Amino acid sequence: MAKPLLKIQRYFRRKPVRFFSLILLYLTAGSLVFLHAGFVGDNGPGARGGRDSLIASEMGSWASSDTRGLGLMSRVFKEKRRSGRRFGPPWMKKTRQEGQGMVGRGRDYTSNWKRALKGRNAKDLDDGRAKYIGCYIDDTQKRALRGVSFFDYKKMTVFRCQDNCAERGYMYAGLEFGAECYCGHKIQAPNVSESECNMECKGEKSNVCGGPNRLSIYRLELSQESARRYGSAIFKGCFHRPDNVTLALPFSAVIQNMSVDKCVDMCTEREKSLAVLAGDRCYCGFPTPLFSLHELEDEGMCLNRCQAEEFESCGNDKYFVVYQTQVQDNRCMDRHFLPTRAKQLVALASFPGAGNTWARHLIELATGFYTGSYYFDGSLYNKGFKGERDHWRSGRTICIKTHESGRKEIEAFDSSILMIRNPYKALMAEFNRKYGGHIGFASQAHWRGKEWPEFVKNYAPWWASHTLDWLHYGRNVQVVHFEDLKRDLFSKLKGMVEFLGLKVSEDRLLCVEGQKDGNFKRSGLRKLEYDPYTPEMRSNINELIRTVDAALKKRNMSGVPEEYMPR
């Protein structure tokens, strides 16, 4: 042992510089370890409590003269002026602190759901959303499920396939070869032994995703809002024959052994978005003022069995059955920045979860101009909201998304469209976004854990104070209720376009109606089967609804929609 130590001593005597360098590195490493321990100590529970108390001390109270008789509305979030770079609204800061370890927004949005169901096999799961019904043959020449399909050879899961099929309104979801997902309304193949569906899902080894030419099929329990479909076509309803049918629907042909498939296929080949069945004749076209699809008739008027199908109706000479094909109506797809800098800044203001992203999608399609944002969200930019990267004061966008409240932020805008949504729906939508992304879902663990009560406690008062702030400090405010826009999209969106000072194109608005959902609609599959609101929560939220309703009426506006009001 002495000889190696003697050799080291002799080495450093000959090379003293190397010796001192080694000592310096040792001391530096020790200092770094000491500093790291100090930072870890600062982030302990005591430090968090200090910051929380500081935030609490900065919270103020708010009451305008208009709501003096309605009681004081406590402000949930109040922050000092932020630095130049915009990282997001104040509520997003808390989200980032609470969400340490969460995957980014671009992830597979079923991850939270999978964690909540970890250890349970999808075949054994029957929770009112999807039920496994068996293993079926799938022929590549004649598919068992003939709707849309998609593949993912790295991340396919049972629930991801179910969500995608449910989002499109299909009744069945089938998985094949571990990575392929097929959707359909009816199963057109025989079932086989369960042992033939033996391939693990690429995204979750605990579940089976069919096999070679074998489908693991689930029946989906859809919400009422999911669209009715036939294959890839969306059922629009029964409509009276237009006065000038040749002008309204310029292309038509008589089809022997008429079926929905044949008419939809013909119109798809002709690149028309509407397939219209009238007995043995098929019409193709686009929605126009001559055939707007606004006057829906009773489906009984269209009852006339298709010659080639037992269960489908093909309409008649007076009443047409209409389907929307997968052809994209390009009359409203062009978008660009404003040609000249806008002289006024128009806010598109809302509480989070009130449909701001959806409203932006509608406005961009209806006007042909990009919308901007007070923040920057990379996932929205990647989905086509190109105005997301522009500074909100650039003047190149038609309006600017914001969730801000408070006098200084509101008075920065010359006018505003204020989106309001039922707080019961808005809170749940924002909770899903917070824990599941823009089109994902919070897990059952989050709903039943401490996160949900804490969220409602903090965010519910903000829903009211946000609206009251904009009504009090905003200049030239147009109120739009989410539910009214959803119920009567054409006229409400037309009013929003006119408020923005632009000429309304009816053809463009009709095009928007056919593509109203965009890329940010949650599927109808994962709705909660229980009421997450406690009686205490409801009592507090109902009082907030009454406060906002009174404030709207005091400004000679219509109050909140009837479905908001406490029963």
Side-chain angles (χ1 to χ4, degrees):
M1 183 68 186
K3 287 184 178 181
L5 291 174
L6 184 62
K7 288 181 180 180
I8 293 172
Q9 185 181 8
R10 287 175 180 173
Y11 173 79
F12 281 120
R13 280 179 181 176
R14 292 194 301 268
K15 305 288 185 178
V17 174
R18 294 183 181 180
F19 175 72
F20 286 113
S21 298
L22 182 64
I23 294 297
L24 183 62
L25 287 172
Y26 176 79
L27 293 174
T28 302
S31 300
L32 290 174
V33 171
F34 178 76
L35 289 172
H36 175 72
F39 284 124
V40 171
D42 288 342
N43 287 328
R48 284 196 298 270
R51 284 196 295 271
D52 290 344
S53 63
L54 178 62
I55 292 172
S57 68
E58 290 184 355
M59 287 185 181
S61 61
W62 180 93
S64 70
S65 58
D66 300 304
T67 57
R68 191 170 299 152
L70 300 170
L72 296 177
M73 178 61 59
S74 127
R75 288 292 302 278
V76 179
F77 295 96
K78 185 176 182 180
E79 62 165 358
K80 295 182 179 179
R81 186 64 181 171
R82 296 187 301 278
S83 59
R85 180 156 176 78
R86 297 171 292 138
F87 291 96
W91 49 270
M92 287 180 70
K93 295 181 181 177
K94 187 172 182 182
T95 300
R96 284 193 292 270
Q97 291 170 359
E98 294 176 353
Q100 294 297 321
M102 288 174 60
V103 184
R105 290 183 185 177
R107 74 189 188 289
D108 175 11
Y109 59 82
T110 62
S111 58
N112 286 328
W113 180 259
K114 287 190 294 182
R115 284 197 295 273
L117 298 170
K118 190 174 182 180
R120 298 179 67 184
N121 192 294
K123 289 183 180 180
D124 302 327
L125 183 65
D126 180 10
D127 60 356
R129 296 174 176 82
K131 182 177 181 180
Y132 180 75
I133 59 173
C135 183
Y136 288 77
I137 294 174
D138 190 38
D139 187 342
T140 56
Q141 302 299 319
K142 196 173 183 181
R143 292 290 182 188
L145 297 175
R146 300 177 187 177
V148 298
S149 62
F150 76 99
F151 312 139
D152 190 333
Y153 291 96
K154 291 184 178 181
K155 297 181 180 180
M156 179 61 74
T157 67
V158 171
F159 300 109
R160 187 179 179 200
C161 178
Q162 291 173 354
D163 268 354
N164 276 273
C165 293
E167 183 180 358
R168 292 160 176 80
Y170 289 102
M171 294 177 63
Y172 297 99
L175 296 106
E176 181 174 339
F177 206 66
E180 302 174 4
C181 176
Y182 297 88
C183 310
H185 273 303
K186 54 185 177 181
I187 304 171
Q188 303 186 57
N191 64 326
V192 292
S193 170
E194 288 298 312
S195 62
E196 297 186 33
C197 287
N198 52 20
M199 294 188 69
E200 293 181 335
C201 303
K202 297 295 183 182
E204 53 179 354
K205 301 300 183 183
S206 61
N207 275 323
V208 173
C209 286
N213 296 325
R214 295 295 182 266
L215 279 171
S216 298
I217 296 183
Y218 296 81
R219 180 182 176 87
L220 308 177
E221 298 296 332
L222 304 177
S223 71
Q224 293 180 352
E225 294 181 0
S226 299
R228 287 172 55 186
R229 289 179 177 262
Y230 185 93
S232 61
I234 301 173
F235 177 76
K236 303 298 288 185
C238 176
F239 298 90
H240 194 277
R241 176 191 177 100
D243 293 334
N244 192 335
V245 67
T246 55
L247 189 60
L249 301 166
F251 182 84
S252 69
V254 173
I255 298 178
Q256 298 297 323
N257 294 320
M258 171 67 85
S259 69
V260 175
D261 272 338
K262 290 179 181 179
C263 186
V264 168
D265 288 345
M266 185 184 81
C267 295
T268 301
E269 290 175 4
R270 297 283 176 178
E271 297 187 346
K272 306 296 183 185
S273 67
L274 294 184
V276 183
L277 293 88
D280 61 353
R281 182 173 289 275
C282 174
Y283 294 92
C284 306
F286 294 100
T288 66
L290 295 175
F291 194 56
S292 64
L293 306 185
H294 287 166
E295 298 178 3
L296 193 65
E297 301 285 351
D298 186 282
E299 286 186 37
M301 306 301 292
C302 286
L303 286 179
N304 179 29
R305 188 176 66 83
C306 298
Q307 295 178 7
E309 291 182 297
E310 184 178 355
F311 301 108
E312 300 298 332
S313 177
C314 280
N316 51 62
D317 290 340
K318 291 185 178 181
Y319 294 93
F320 295 172
V321 175
V322 180
Y323 287 86
Q324 181 178 322
T325 71
Q326 290 293 297
V327 174
Q328 182 172 271
D329 188 345
N330 290 319
R331 294 176 296 171
C332 58
M333 296 309 296
D334 60 302
R335 287 171 288 173
H336 43 82
F337 290 101
L338 293 174
T340 58
R341 183 184 174 92
K343 296 180 180 179
Q344 292 190 331
L345 293 176
V346 183
L348 179 62
S350 74
F351 174 79
N356 199 304
T357 301
W358 181 53
R360 289 179 69 185
H361 165 75
L362 298 176
I363 289 172
E364 289 195 2
L365 293 187
T367 65
F369 295 116
Y370 289 121
T371 59
S373 177
Y374 195 82
Y375 323 105
F376 171 71
D377 187 331
S379 65
L380 294 181
Y381 178 83
N382 293 333
K383 287 289 187 178
F385 290 95
K386 301 304 180 185
E388 194 76 15
R389 272 191 175 176
D390 266 37
H391 190 275
W392 65 280
R393 287 185 177 274
S394 70
R396 298 207 305 157
T397 54
I398 193 65
C399 61
I400 299 103
K401 163 190 173 177
T402 179
H403 298 308
E404 298 296 307
S405 53
R407 181 172 185 172
K408 190 171 184 179
E409 288 78 7
I410 293 172
E411 289 182 347
F413 294 95
D414 300 291
S415 58
S416 59
I417 296 173
L418 177 59
M419 291 281 296
I420 305 176
R421 187 180 185 183
N422 186 330
Y424 290 105
K425 300 291 186 180
L427 289 168
M428 293 177 70
E430 176 57 12
F431 190 74
N432 274 322
R433 186 210 63 80
K434 183 177 180 181
Y435 290 103
H438 279 289
I439 57 174
F441 294 85
S443 69
Q444 294 291 326
H446 286 126
W447 286 106
R448 295 186 182 277
K450 64 180 181 180
E451 293 92 343
W452 171 243
E454 186 68 21
F455 177 87
V456 173
K457 178 182 176 182
N458 290 332
Y459 277 60
W462 184 24
W463 173 85
S465 66
H466 181 278
T467 300
L468 296 175
D469 273 2
W470 279 92
L471 291 175
H472 184 65
Y473 298 119
R475 300 191 292 260
N476 191 21
V477 178
Q478 183 188 49
V479 173
V480 176
H481 292 283
F482 174 90
E483 291 76 12
D484 291 341
L485 182 61
K486 188 176 179 181
R487 192 162 33 236
D488 187 8
L489 187 142
F490 186 90
S491 63
K492 295 300 179 183
L493 185 56
K494 181 179 179 180
M496 294 166 71
V497 173
E498 291 173 341
F499 180 82
L500 294 169
L502 298 176
K503 184 179 179 181
V504 177
S505 166
E506 287 198 16
D507 281 341
R508 195 168 185 113
L509 289 178
L510 290 169
C511 170
V512 175
E513 285 188 312
Q515 300 173 78
K516 61 184 179 182
D517 290 336
N519 295 319
F520 291 94
K521 180 183 179 182
R522 290 184 175 88
S523 75
L525 185 61
R526 285 195 202 149
K527 62 178 182 178
L528 287 176
E529 298 299 322
Y530 66 94
D531 184 359
Y533 293 99
T534 64
E536 182 182 1
M537 290 178 185
R538 286 192 169 274
S539 176
N540 293 334
I541 293 173
N542 289 346
E543 186 60 36
L544 297 174
I545 291 173
R546 294 186 187 97
T547 301
V548 170
D549 183 62
L552 288 169
K553 290 177 178 177
K554 192 156 190 176
R555 287 163 177 76
N556 296 320
M557 300 177 180
S558 59
V560 298
E562 187 177 343
E563 59 259 42
Y564 288 26
M565 297 305 293
R567 295 287 182 264

